[in-house]
Each structure stands twice: as structure tokens, then as C-alpha cells.
Amino acid sequence: MTAADIVVIFLAAGRGSRFGGGKLAATLAGRPLARHLGDRLAALPFRRKLMICCEATPEVEGFERLALAPPGAPLSRSIATGIGEIPQACAALIALADMPLVPTSHIENLVRAFDGDRIATCVAERAMVPAIFGSRHFPALLSLQGDRGAAGLLLGAPAIPLEQQLALDVDTPEDLAQAEAIIQGR
């Protein structure tokens, strides 16, 4: 399977309550936070690129915007919104807009290693997104509940390691400052 067989579901509708709101539009290295991983994903030849968003989500070129309904719904609803749009797809890559440091090479490694079932990112022995799910997992993704996401579906999945600092999930202004420091240190 290649990137041309996979649909990206880019989750960018979070409330950002721990950040104080407006998280994905916050500036990181001169660009909105959501654009960092979004721009890298947009540059790859995926079949289709969907961004689950809210009104405040900044534009990311190359993505179709799908509004999360109702606004403020939990993470599981964002995933279901994306999966519900692609019933005939072979596979979906799920990625978070607030993980700005995930490199293109990691996404390419996930795609290369994907065998049609599922593959996760591994950070400190924990399976997480970005991850690719084959279509046989779509019913389970549609039935997720609450704000926990798809981590439970990744237990026992093959995984590609990612440095912990590159898996930084920006939830607070302090996390954003840490991401800026990591970028400046490269």
C-alpha cells in the first residue's frame, strides 16, 4: 500500500481549554501551530486529506475542511466525522494538529511499514498517533466514545519509534514554548 491509497484525517477541532483557547492559531516559529504538521502532510501524495476543524481552526492548504458537529464535541466525534466521510477508503492515517514536531520522515516510515491492518507511532513504549488504520478497523473507530481517541485500538499493533521530544503534544502555553525551543535548537 502507498500514500495514494490512504486518506489523512487531521484532527484540528480541539477546544484547547488548557491553552486558554485559540491554540491551533497560536504562532510557532512564525506560523500557526496547526500548519506545522498540516503542511508536511499536505505535501505528501495521500489519496485525500480531511481536516476535522472548528471555526477558529486556521486554514491549512491542501485539506478539505469538515466542521465538527456539534462544536466542542469530544475527540471520538472528530474521528467518527472523518471516518464517516470515507467509507470506501482502504486506510486512514489519523494525526493531531497539536503535534507540530512530527517529521515528514516519520509519516513516510509509517506508510512504508503499513501492511493493511494498522501501524502506530511508539513513544516511550506507548502506541499512539500518528497511526494508520486499515478499513477493517473503521467500524471500531466509528464507535469510539468520549475524549480518549483510538489508543485502545493500537494495543499490540506494530509501531515505528519516534523521539519523545518530536511527539510533543502542545496543550499549554508552556508546551508551545517548549516546541519553540526545540525548533530553535535544531
Side-chain angles (χ1 to χ4, degrees):
M1 204 170 283
T2 68
D5 300 307
I6 300 169
V7 174
V8 173
I9 298 174
F10 190 49
L11 304 179
R15 296 177 297 276
S17 54
R18 287 184 281 172
F19 194 85
K23 173 174 74 171
L24 296 178
T27 301
L28 173 64
R31 293 184 294 166
L33 176 66
R35 293 249 337 259
H36 286 266
L37 182 53
D39 288 349
R40 287 193 285 283
L41 291 168
L44 295 171
F46 289 105
R47 177 184 191 113
R48 193 171 169 198
K49 298 163 191 128
L50 305 175
M51 182 168 62
I52 313 308
C53 57
C54 64
E55 217 173 86
T57 306
E59 290 291 327
V60 178
E61 214 168 300
F63 280 85
E64 299 171 51
R65 290 174 69 93
L66 297 176
L68 177 62
L75 181 60
S76 59
R77 186 74 214 131
S78 286
I79 293 169
T81 298
I83 295 295
E85 273 295 304
I86 59 165
Q88 305 304 318
C90 296
L93 179 139
I94 296 176
L96 302 177
D98 58 3
M99 290 179 70
L101 305 178
V102 175
T104 301
S105 60
H106 182 73
I107 300 299
E108 291 170 332
N109 289 338
L110 286 171
V111 171
R112 269 193 294 280
F114 179 61
D115 66 1
D117 183 34
R118 64 202 162 124
I119 190 157
T121 294
C122 180
V123 177
E125 298 184 28
R126 193 183 84 172
M128 59 187 291
V129 296
I132 304 174
F133 296 88
S135 60
R136 77 179 198 88
H137 296 281
F138 288 4
L141 289 165
L142 285 167
S143 68
L144 292 171
Q145 298 292 314
D147 232 5
R148 302 237 358 148
L153 299 175
L154 294 172
L155 296 175
I160 302 293
L162 180 63
E163 274 181 64
Q164 193 156 4
Q165 75 172 4
L166 297 179
L168 177 66
D169 186 343
V170 175
D171 287 326
T172 65
E174 293 78 22
D175 294 336
L176 184 67
Q178 183 179 353
E180 188 76 47
I182 291 167
I183 289 172
Q184 297 304 320
R186 285 189 188 166

